[in-house]
Amino acid sequence: MSELPGRTQPLLEIENLHVEYRTLDGIVKAVNGLNLRIDEGKALGLVGETGAGKTTTALAVMKLVPTPPGVITAGSVRIAGREILPLGDAEMQHLRGNQVSMIFQNPMASLNPVHDVGSQIAEVIRLHQGVSPREARVRAAGMLRAVGIPENRAGDFPHEFSGGMKQRVMIAIALACRPRLLIADEPTTALDVTIQAQVIDLIKSLKRDYSGAQLLITHDLGLVAEMCDDVAVMYAGRVVEKADIAELFQNPRHPYTLGLFGSLPNLKKSVHRLRSIGGLSPDPKMLPRGCPFHPRCAERMDVCTERTPSESVVGAGHTVCCWKYSESGGTR
Amino acid sequence: MTEQLLEVVDLVKHFPLPRNQRVHAVDGITFNIAAGETLGMVGESGCGKTTAGRAIVRLIEPDRGRLIYRGQDITHLAGAELLSMRRRMQIIFQDPYSSLDPRKSAGQLIAEPLLIHRWGTRGRIRERVRELLEQVGLTPDMVSKYPHELDGGRCQRIGIARALALGPEFIVCDEPVSALDVSIQAQILNLMKDLQERLSLTYLFISHNLAVVKHISDRVVVMYLGVVVETAPTEALFEDPLHPYTQALLSAIPIPAVGERRSRIILSGDVPTPVNPGPGCRFHKRCWLASPVCGEAAPKMVDAGGGHLVACFRVSEGAVIQ
Amino acid sequence: MKKGLGKYVLIRLVGAVPLLLVVAVIVFVLLQYAPGDPAELMLGMDATPENVAQMRVKMGLDKPLHVQLLRFLAGLLRGDLGTSWQSGRPVAEEIGRTLPVTAYVSFVAIVISSVVGVLVGVLSAVRQYSLVDNIVRVVVLAGVSMPVFWLGLMLIVVFSGFLGVLPSSGWGTPKHLVLPAVTLATYPLAMITRLTRSSMLEVIRQDYVRTARAKGLSMRAVIVHHALQNAFIPVVTVIGIQFGVLLAGAVLTESVFAIPGIGRLTVAAVFARDYPVIRASVVLTAAIFVLINLLVDISYTYLDPRIRYDN
């Protein structure tokens, strides 16, 4: 870390990741050559709409893509410099919940209804820290306190908690072993606004104590602005634009990113009509040739329908996959 | 203000639970909707906004209160009179998939209300369905598609076409874009605005999404646990919220912009359930400004000027907010 | 023991009394419509009308119907099941002789089918669409479709006839137990396997199973600690129902293997129009189902903390 001033060690590096689901209806190309890196201590927001491949990307990092039908067909995923895709079950089990952990979208269904919450937290502690059951319960109670739930509720079952409280329990499970990478997949989408605010506040405050890097998956640009340092915009299984948040929010370049911002009703200023993007996200079973966004793109050029653009650097740490910004001007 | 289209007066709807408990889903709400406006209704889950919307179009029977539509009391309409009122009031639901019968094609779904109301001959109905498809931005070949063959945005367009079929003047929109992705949501919101202008529609737009409500509404009603806590023209509500709950709600929304440091009010505790609420202001247990009086009696709606109504003792007693 | 359990059980048992009385009335009324006069049947074809009339007095059939009914119900409430017309012995004694036999075979059969069914069902679900799963699904289909008496006869042909290792019928030694228990276990085994498989398949797709995997647990640990208990909840119901069905008397199996169980007792009573025995065995069956349902409901509260005793 110190040998390269100004450039911290990447904690998560994903290169050219391809994931597909081989179903009876055809091959769903969920992730198609995704590149991503998160530096130590940073939070990256991965933004995109339904079907963009956000959750599949997260599951690939955990090596939890449901198989069958899911297959990681190519690419490299490195956590703290260590390539994980070739790792076996036992090694992955050692990483999961320990070095990398995950909070899921639906807190209502993510906890086991038949076990009390204390034991669900204690389980991950026992598994990775090799402590006695009694000690694990004590530490679990400590984690409950850390997420703002009284210790005496450790013996209660998930159905005795509200949605917001369940998500707190999930956070306690995820952070119990102080993972180096925390993946949060739409952690507040199922919650009411005022409860979302509590959970965001909690994750932000715990970040300082518990977690190294964060990967926040969301469709909500507001949440990214609130919680992240960097942002990557995903479309049809690829990252189409990435930058730090100040750069991306002030200077979005990719036509899809611009379309997303135009689609958002703004609380600060009133517009009569939203600048929406026409059309629909492509069917991942039949991705269009060339840039997957070209059928919806107002600035489409001939080359866009032919070849897929690669990353172009448009600013400090700001890259875009779009022929408009390609150095070779789309003639390559 | 222009002519009142609908007056909702002290509307109450409770649902019984075992052991003498009652869900006070809607507990005496009063507001007006003017012809041609969009009234936004916001609140969190369990605040009663969906129950209110359904009671207003008489999909569920209110326990108490009155609904006055263009001067006529429609609270107890029945039979043919209710049916003819249904031509004028329609509703669009949140989940475009589960609110459409999966065994009916788009054409059949849109034609259904026309058939029920004996709107015209088969030929005229077919013509009308084509016209409606075009109005909601669907191509004529969609007529034979089934809901499972369509995405959420297109399904919601069918839901809208269905609601428009009989030429209503008032539509309750119950979270019509909540299940949709941002880019599709924008398309539907634009469509709804266009239709409103073209067909002079009046909307009651129910949503938990404040940015969406701000975008589409002329005025906004804020609900909390079955009661209205604040009503105001949109600009006034978002610029100068008076009720502490509204203030907390607004400050809790993550804003998609950088460099704006806002002071956030983070409410403690969960949204309480509307089961047998005690006396006093519904919000007092989570309110950081509550005084003893708030737990004893429910504050009345007072006019803070310019059509800005709020139910909070701090306003009614002239205390300074913030 | 959980709080409130005793009170809950008491309420359920007291509540069962009216139910059993209704069952008793129904069976009483239905038997009035059964063809044939029990007295004539007892005495045979040669009986004179005088003999039959005397017999009817002896059996109490001369009394008005409502008196017969009230006597029967009053007896039931006192725990007196009456006397068998056929054997002349108390019905309670007849049942006391046959029920333990049926209960023994049924218990062995239900234990075999539960243990094997749950294990195979879980295996089949975890390895969905594998060779094992495909074989299991075919065998299960055969198991639910096969007529029990035919299976019993086939087993007798193979194990008693060809191999000569097991007795074909009778009762008394552990060897006598094997073929009937296997025959009886087949249908419940197939049902339990099938239900465990589908229930397990549903559970392993739940979010909390993914959470458990994300904690770093192995698939085996996830199945054992997280999935099994959840998947077991619907299976318990079926085990209970199947056990009840077995206890009510497997008429065909008991006949095929000549086992002196309650099924055979009931069938013999039906042929002889031995009303007291028929009535008692029907009411007993209803009572068994009430008890088993109660046991199933109690086990729910241990398996699923969301279910509580109130109401």
Side-chain angles (χ1 to χ4, degrees), chain A residues 55 59 62 64 93 96-97 100 102 104 106 109-115 120 123-124 127-128 157 159 170 173, chain C residues 206-219 221 225-227 229-230 233 303-308:
Chain A
T55 297
L59 291 175
M62 300 284 286
L64 280 178
Q93 282 156 19
R96 288 185 205 124
V100 196
M102 189 158 171
F104 298 97
N106 185 358
S110 293
L111 291 168
N112 192 333
V114 304
H115 297 312
Q120 297 194 50
E123 186 177 33
V124 72
L127 191 65
H128 295 296
F157 290 91
H159 71 275
M170 282 300 296
I173 292 173
Chain C
Q206 296 293 315
D207 288 355
Y208 56 80
V209 167
R210 190 175 57 180
T211 304
R213 293 283 284 153
K215 283 177 177 177
L217 291 170
S218 67
M219 201 60 206
H225 297 303
H226 289 273
Q229 190 174 342
N230 283 288
I233 293 167
L303 289 172
D304 188 344
R306 286 166 294 188
I307 298 169
R308 292 186 303 168

Side-chain angles (χ1 to χ4, degrees), chain B residues 73-88:
Chain B
D73 190 328
I74 63 161
T75 328
H76 304 290
L77 284 190
E81 283 179 311
L82 181 62
L83 198 64
S84 86
M85 183 51 70
R86 288 264 153 83
R87 285 168 164 250
R88 300 160 75 181

